[in-house]
Structures are given as structure tokens and as C-alpha cells.
Amino acid sequence: MAILNKTRNGSLSYCTSCKAYHIEFGNLMFNFTESELQLFTNYINDIDGDYYNRLNEHVSTRRRIILPTKLKGISFAMHLEELNEFKMLLNFEKTHYSAYNMHSFRQIHCDFSPN
């Protein structure tokens, strides 16, 4: 498994055997195909952390950026610094695997809202 990017709290790697991308970030783990990773990266890149931080300023927890999932009752919560680090983990120029190109992610739209 090749590590593609690493931050203080996470890593992004690619397994040539299973042809999957593996993300570890804090206590979260994700396994994606290339197209799933593209959709997820686009979703994360589109999150305006400052906006959601202000919107949820009434929330008593320190993590005010709430990311809903399609699973009823399950959301991910991050604070602004975590969101920015997560974006840094997902956004890099990959030179070793030509199929993985972050520039193409901006063309894909995905809605991970619970609707």
C-alpha cells in the first residue's frame, strides 16, 4: 500500500491489489474506489467551514461543522481546523498514479445529504 498524502491526523493511501483508496482521519476510516473518492473529495471541497461554523455557533460542542450522511441519525462533526486539514489531505497533485487527478474532481457533483 502506497501512502499518497499524510497530515498530522490522517493519511491517504492507495492499494494496488484491491485498487482502492483508503483514508484514515482521526477516528474515521473510508475505503473508496476512484470514482467514489472523486465524489467525496468534491463534497468535502465544497463545504464552507466558516459559514457552517457561524451557522452552528449555538451548538454547545466544539465541533460545529456538521456533515450529514444518508444513514439516519449519523453525522460527522468537525471543527474548522479539522475540516481544513481534511481538505489538505484530500487535495494534492498525485504524480505516481496517472488515473488519479485532483483537477478532474471539481467537475463532479455529489450530494451526500440525507434526502
Side-chain angles (χ1 to χ4, degrees), residues 65-109:
I65 300 167
I66 311 299
L67 310 177
T69 69
K70 289 194 177 235
L71 300 172
K72 184 178 179 181
I74 298 177
S75 297
F76 299 114
M78 297 182 163
H79 54 71
L80 188 57
E81 293 78 15
E82 287 173 319
L83 177 62
N84 291 334
E85 181 182 345
F86 198 35
K87 287 180 180 184
M88 285 177 14
L89 180 65
L90 295 173
N91 291 286
F92 68 98
E93 284 297 318
K94 185 175 168 319
T95 57
H96 300 295
Y97 298 95
S98 60
Y100 184 72
N101 182 339
M102 295 303 292
H103 290 298
S104 65
F105 289 177
R106 310 230 189 294
Q107 299 170 5
I108 299 169
H109 299 284

Side-chain angles (χ1 to χ4, degrees), residues 56-74:
N56 295 321
E57 66 186 356
H58 66 282
V59 175
S60 62
T61 64
R62 67 184 181 110
R63 289 180 168 90
R64 294 184 175 147
I65 300 167
I66 311 299
L67 310 177
T69 69
K70 289 194 177 235
L71 300 172
K72 184 178 179 181
I74 298 177

